[in-house]
C-alpha cells in the first residue's frame, strides 16, 4: 500500500514483458502488485469509492490493451499511474460523476494511545499540506508515499523533466516552511497572539495555513523559533490509506479478460489515447464541446446592422448547442488531497459491461522527436471520447459528530478530536464550562477528523486538578482537564 516499499524496476520489467506476451496470470500479478497503490491514488483524486473502483478497473484494462506502446517497460509502475491520472481527470470532468461515498481507511493494529498520537500527527500533516497548491500536494504524495521518481512524475503530469524537477523541489521547500509554521502553532502558540488567533481549530484551512507561513516568516518572535526536523516520509506516513475492496479483484480481472467484454475493453482503452512517442498517455483534455462551453463568445461588431444579424444567429446556434451539450463545468482542477476515506464498496458497473462508445475512438498521435528527458506534447491530434453516462448523484446525507476529550497534564493546552460520522458535518463550538477556553468552527467530510484547541483558564486558587467541558454543535461535548 501507499507508504510501504513498492515493487522494483526488475518486477516492472518482468511483468511488462509478461503482459506483452499475453500472459493472463501476469495480469493477475499486476493487479495484486499495483492495485492497492493505484486505488489509494485514484481515491485521493476522486474522493469517492465507486469512482475509484471504476477508475482502477479501466486502468487495468487500458494497461493490457496498450502495453505494447510502452518503450521503457522497466517504468511500468509509473506508466500505470499516468493512465490512472488521465482516467481520474476524465471522471472528474464528468457532470454525472458519483460523489459522497469515501472509502474506509485501511486497518492498522494500533492501541488507543497509538491511535490518539497518530491523530494528532495527522492533524499536523493536513495543516502543513494545506499551504501547498494542488499540483504540489500531488507531487509530494507521488514522490514520498508512492515512491515515484521525477522521471515518472514527468510522464504522469505530462511535463518536461526540467519543470518536474523544479516542481518537486519547490513543493518540498514549501512543505518544510509550512511544517515549521505548523509546529510553532502547535507548540508555541501562547508566545504570539497572532498565531493564537490564527489557530483556534485544527486542521488549518488552506487560507489559514498560508497566512500562518507568511506570519512566521515576518514575525521577529516566531522567526527565531526552532522546530525539530521531521522528514516528509515520516510526516506523510500517518495519512489515511484508502482500503481497496476485496471483491473488486474478481470484478476487475473478469472485465479485463472475459471474451464477451472485448468490445467494451476497446472503448475503455480508447479513452486513454493519444500517447506520446514514449508510449505515455498525454494529459487529459476536455472534449471540444465542453471547452467551447467554458470559453467566452463575445466578438465586437464592425457594423451595427451586421452585429444584429450575427447576434440573432449566435443566439439560435447557442440555444441548439445548449440543448445538446453538457453543463460546461470543469471539475478536473488539480487539487487532490492525499489519503483519506470513510466507507467501503466497489464499482457497481464493474460487475457488468462498461459503457461502450465506438463512434469516437481516437487514434495514436505522432509528435516530433524529443530529447531524452520526457517532454510530452500538450496538444493531442485527436478528440477524446465522451465520458461514460452514470446516474445523477444524490447529495450526501448530513452526519453526526463524534467528540473525544483531552488532557493537558501540566501543559498549557490540548486538542479535542472531532470526527464526522455517517456524512458531512458543519460544526462550531457553542460554549465551555469550567476553567477552560475554546472556540472555532468548520466543515468536515464524512470520516474526516479535526481538532479544537483547548487552553486552561487558570483560577485564582488551584489545588490539584481542574476540568471543564467543551460543547460542540451538532450534539457533541467533551471534557478537558489539567493539573495546577
Amino acid at each position: 500500500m501507499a507508504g510501504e516499499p513498492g515493487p522494483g524496476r526488475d518486477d516492472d520489467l518482468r511483468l511488462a514483458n509478461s503482459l506483452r506476451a499475453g500472459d493472463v496470470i501476469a495480469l493477475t500479478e499486476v493487479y495484486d502488485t499495483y492495485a492497492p497503490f493505484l486505488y489509494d491514488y485514484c481515491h485521493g483524486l476522486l474522493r469517492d469509492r465507486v469512482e475509484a473502483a471504476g477508475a482502477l478497473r479501466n486502468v487495468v484494462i487500458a494497461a493490457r490493451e496498450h502495453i505494447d506502446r510502452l518503450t521503457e517497460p522497466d517504468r511500468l509502475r509509473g506508466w500505470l499511474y499516468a493512465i490512472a491520472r488521465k482516467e481520474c481527470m476524465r471522471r472528474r470532468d464528468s457532470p454525472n460523476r458519483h460523489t459522497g461515498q469515501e472509502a474506509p481507511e485501511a486497518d492498522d493494529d494500533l492501541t488507543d494511545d497509538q491511535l490518539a498520537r497518530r491523530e494528532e500527527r495527522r492533524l499536523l500533516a493536513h495543516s502543513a499540506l494545506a499551504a501547498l497548491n494542488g499540483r504540489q500536494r500531488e507531487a509530494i504524495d507521488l514522490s514520498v508515499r508512492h515512491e515515484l521518481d521525477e522521471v515518472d512524475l514527468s510522464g504522469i503530469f505530462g511535463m518536461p523533466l526540467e519543470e518536474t524537477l523544479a516542481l518537486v523541489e519547490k513543493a518540498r521547500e514549501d512543505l518544510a516552511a509550512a511544517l515549521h509554521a505548523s509546529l510553532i502553532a502547535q507548540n508555541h502558540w501562547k508566545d504570539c497572539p497572532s498565531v493564537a488567533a490564527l489557530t483556534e481549530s485544527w486542521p488549518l484551512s488552506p487560507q489559514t495555513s498560508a497566512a500562518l507561513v507568511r506570519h512566521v516568516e515576518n514575525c521577529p518572535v516566531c522567526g527565531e523559533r526552532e522546530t525539530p526536523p521531521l522528514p516528509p516520509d515520516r510526516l506523510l506516513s500517518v495519512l489515511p490509506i484508502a482500503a481497496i475492496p476485496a471483491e473488486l479483484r474478481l470484478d476487475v480481472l473478469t472485465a479485463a479478460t472475459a471474451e464477451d467484454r472485448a468490445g467494451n475493453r476497446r472503448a475503455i482503452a480508447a479513452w486513454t489515447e493519444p500517447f506520446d512517442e514514449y508510449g505515455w498517455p498525454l494529459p487529459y483534455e476536455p472534449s471540444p464541446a465542453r471547452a467551447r462551453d467554458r470559453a467566452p463568445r463575445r466578438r465586437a461588431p464592425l457594423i451595427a446592422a451586421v452585429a444584429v444579424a450575427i447576434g440573432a444567429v449566435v443566439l439560435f446556434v447557442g440555444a441548439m448547442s445548449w440543448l445538446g451539450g453538457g453543463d460546461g463545468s470543469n471539475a478536473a482542477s488539480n487539487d487532490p488531497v492525499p489519503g483519506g476515506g470513510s466507507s467501503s464498496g466497489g464499482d457497481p458497473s464493474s460487475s457488468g459491461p462498461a459503457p461502450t462508445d465506438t463512434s469516437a475512438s481516437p487514434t495514436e498521435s505522432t509528435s516530433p522527436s524529443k530529447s531524452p528527458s520526457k517532454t510530452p506534447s500538450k496538444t493531442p491530434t485527436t478528440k477524446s471520447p465522451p465520458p461514460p453516462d452514470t446516474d445523477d448523484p444524490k447529495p450526501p446525507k448530513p452526519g453526526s459528530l463524534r467528540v473525544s476529550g483531552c488532557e493537558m497534564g501540566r501543559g498549557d493546552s490540548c486538542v479535542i478530536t472531532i470526527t464526522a460520522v455517517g456524512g458531512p458535518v458543519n460544526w462550531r463550538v457553542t460554549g465551555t464550562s469550567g476553567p477552560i477556553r475554546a472556540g472555532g468552527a468548520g466543515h468536515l467530510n464524512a470520516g474526516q477528523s479535526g481538532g479544537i484547541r483547548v487552553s486552561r483558564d487558570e483560577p485564582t486558587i488551584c489545588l490539584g486538578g481542574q476540568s471543564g467541558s467543551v460543547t460542540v454543535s451538532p450534539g457533541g461535548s467533551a471534557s478537558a482537564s489539567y493539573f495546577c
Side-chain angles (χ1 to χ4, degrees):
M1 294 187 177
E4 299 177 357
R9 297 289 181 202
D10 292 340
D11 290 326
D12 285 353
L13 180 60
R14 177 179 58 82
L15 291 174
N17 289 334
S18 297
L19 278 182
R20 284 177 172 171
D23 187 350
V24 176
I25 296 179
L27 187 66
T28 302
E29 190 173 355
V30 165
Y31 182 92
D32 293 338
T33 302
Y34 302 109
F37 298 87
L38 292 168
Y39 181 82
D40 179 70
Y41 175 60
C42 291
H43 185 269
L45 292 174
L46 297 168
R47 312 307 300 177
D48 184 87
R49 62 178 178 84
V50 176
E51 292 289 342
L56 177 61
R57 177 203 60 201
N58 290 0
V59 169
V60 174
I61 291 173
R64 190 187 186 200
E65 297 292 320
H66 293 301
I67 186 61
D68 289 338
R69 298 177 183 266
L70 182 60
T71 62
E72 299 172 296
D74 60 333
R75 290 199 173 272
L76 173 64
R77 185 164 174 259
W79 183 71
L80 291 172
Y81 275 85
I83 296 175
R85 189 175 199 276
K86 188 169 188 175
E87 172 65 16
C88 290
M89 293 300 104
R90 185 184 67 81
R91 286 173 174 268
R92 284 172 60 165
D93 198 36
S94 171
N96 296 321
R97 59 178 291 202
H98 193 278
T99 58
Q101 294 187 21
E102 294 192 11
E105 182 176 346
D107 291 333
D108 286 317
D109 296 328
L110 300 179
T111 66
D112 290 342
D113 289 342
Q114 290 173 328
L115 288 171
R117 286 196 297 271
R118 186 183 69 178
E119 190 60 40
E120 184 175 354
R121 290 179 59 193
R122 188 172 286 180
L123 295 175
L124 177 67
H126 281 303
S127 297
L129 287 166
L132 278 58
N133 63 40
R135 178 61 63 87
Q136 288 180 318
R137 287 198 297 271
E138 187 176 2
I140 287 290
D141 185 47
L142 287 171
S143 62
V144 175
R145 292 207 310 151
H146 295 270
E147 299 181 345
L148 296 167
D149 63 23
E150 285 81 358
V151 176
D152 287 332
L153 266 61
S154 175
I156 293 169
F157 290 136
M159 295 170 54
L161 182 58
E162 295 77 9
E163 293 182 15
T164 306
L165 291 169
L167 168 67
V168 174
E169 182 180 3
K170 184 66 164 60
R172 288 179 178 270
E173 290 176 355
D174 290 351
L175 179 60
L179 175 60
H180 173 65
S182 297
L183 285 169
I184 289 175
Q186 187 181 63
N187 300 317
H188 306 288
W189 62 276
K190 287 191 71 174
D191 298 339
C192 181
S194 297
V195 172
L198 282 171
T199 58
E200 287 186 345
S201 63
W202 290 73
L204 305 180
S205 68
Q207 295 80 7
T208 302
S209 184
L212 178 64
V213 172
R214 292 193 297 269
H215 168 78
V216 170
E217 289 175 347
N218 297 286
C219 176
V221 176
C222 299
E224 296 297 323
R225 284 285 183 189
E226 294 185 0
T227 56
L230 185 59
D233 57 337
R234 286 186 57 197
L235 176 68
L236 271 62
S237 66
V238 300
L239 294 179
I241 299 171
I244 185 170
E247 66 274 13
L248 188 58
R249 184 177 186 270
L250 178 60
D251 292 339
V252 170
L253 295 176
T254 300
T257 58
E259 293 183 3
D260 61 344
R261 310 273 278 275
N264 291 319
R265 287 195 291 272
R266 287 192 294 270
I268 290 171
W271 290 334
T272 310
E273 298 176 349
F275 291 77
D276 66 14
E277 64 266 34
Y278 298 100
W280 290 66
L282 295 178
Y284 170 77
E285 295 287 346
S287 63
R290 291 178 65 79
R292 284 198 302 271
D293 289 340
R294 285 193 292 273
R297 296 186 177 186
R298 299 179 181 177
R299 298 180 63 87
L302 297 177
I303 304 175
V306 175
V308 172
I310 292 176
V313 173
V314 169
L315 285 175
F316 176 77
V317 174
M320 298 303 293
S321 174
W322 177 81
L323 288 172
D327 68 351
S329 63
N330 181 13
S333 62
N334 183 10
D335 193 26
V337 178
S342 60
S343 65
S344 66
D347 183 4
S349 66
S350 64
S351 59
T356 304
D357 187 352
T358 58
S359 63
S361 298
T363 58
E364 182 179 4
S365 66
T366 58
S367 55
S369 176
K370 303 179 185 178
S371 62
S373 62
K374 288 188 179 293
T375 55
S377 169
K378 292 286 185 178
T379 308
T381 59
T382 57
K383 298 180 180 179
S384 299
D389 293 328
T390 58
D391 295 334
D392 291 336
K394 297 180 180 179
K397 296 180 180 179
S400 59
L401 199 64
R402 184 173 68 236
V403 186
S404 302
C406 64
E407 295 182 359
M408 305 178 202
R410 297 189 181 276
D412 296 324
S413 69
C414 63
V415 176
I416 287 176
T417 302
I418 55 175
T419 304
V421 179
V425 174
N426 292 317
W427 65 271
R428 67 184 180 90
V429 175
T430 57
T432 61
S433 64
I436 59 174
R437 301 190 304 272
H443 174 82
L444 296 173
N445 292 323
Q448 186 179 5
S449 296
I452 302 171
R453 184 179 295 280
V454 184
S455 58
R456 63 167 66 194
D457 189 5
E458 199 78 59
T460 304
I461 300 176
C462 180
L463 299 175
Q466 297 288 332
S467 65
S469 64
V470 178
T471 304
V472 189
S473 175
S477 64
S479 63
S481 60
Y482 62 89
F483 293 103
C484 300

